[in-house]
Amino acid sequence: MQLIIREIDLDRDAEGVARMFNESDLAWPGTFIEGKPMTAEDVHRWHTEQAFLAVYLAEVDGEIAGYASLVEGEQGQQGEGYLDLLNVNPKFHGLHIGRKLVQTCVNRAIQEGFKRHTLGTWSNNLKAVPVYKKTG
């Protein structure tokens, strides 16, 4: 297995990102895509409308397996990093991809000079909470 963590190339990756979120939907409480399959066009629109500082992908043997987006600040907290969204396709769970993506975002926040890096999740997110705790 070859795992690569890299920044998104929207033109090249939109279709693979859409596929990853579609395959991950049942792992989200209440659904992520709300019953409408995500398309490459949806991914393009989403990423051109949002002010992401960085978006990282985990690629396993050429397939997009995970996603993490970083923004500056949450709810007006400028000067700090915020992990906006983390997702790993369930077929790649257990490979520590989520932890590697979180760490990549933390490292980027440090490079940006942020003194603080935060995220939000729900307490019943039993798969993600341990990842966040282990990453610090």
Side-chain angles (χ1 to χ4, degrees):
M1 174 189 87
Q2 182 183 11
L3 171 65
I4 298 169
I5 305 289
R6 61 176 176 81
E7 286 200 59
I8 194 171
D9 175 336
L10 196 51
D11 291 328
R12 179 178 121 192
D13 297 323
E15 186 174 319
V17 169
R19 185 178 320 108
M20 183 221 32
F21 276 107
N22 290 334
E23 291 177 0
S24 301
D25 194 47
L26 294 179
W28 286 82
T31 188
F32 181 76
I33 59 174
E34 299 176 344
K36 180 183 176 263
M38 189 178 284
T39 67
E41 292 78 24
D42 294 331
V43 173
H44 254 281
R45 186 170 37 268
W46 169 29
H47 286 81
T48 54
E49 292 174 356
Q50 296 293 315
F52 295 114
L53 181 61
V55 175
Y56 295 101
L57 301 178
E59 190 177 295
V60 175
D61 297 333
E63 181 177 353
I64 295 173
Y67 173 101
S69 57
L70 175 68
V71 297
E72 182 176 356
E74 172 65 3
Q75 300 176 351
Q77 300 296 319
Q78 297 304 307
E80 67 180 44
Y82 182 78
L83 179 63
D84 183 57
L85 179 61
L86 176 70
N87 184 68
V88 176
N89 186 325
K91 72 182 179 182
F92 295 102
H93 285 184
L95 300 176
H96 308 288
I97 291 171
R99 187 176 344 166
K100 290 173 184 172
L101 285 165
V102 170
Q103 190 59 57
T104 300
C105 288
V106 168
N107 290 341
R108 176 64 181 268
I110 291 167
Q111 288 174 357
E112 295 292 327
F114 299 149
K115 302 288 185 211
R116 181 177 148 128
H117 188 262
T118 62
L119 60 88
T121 192
W122 59 97
S123 59
N124 258 359
N125 191 352
L126 301 178
K127 288 201 178 243
V129 170
V131 171
Y132 300 144
K133 286 183 176 182
K134 288 177 185 174
T135 307

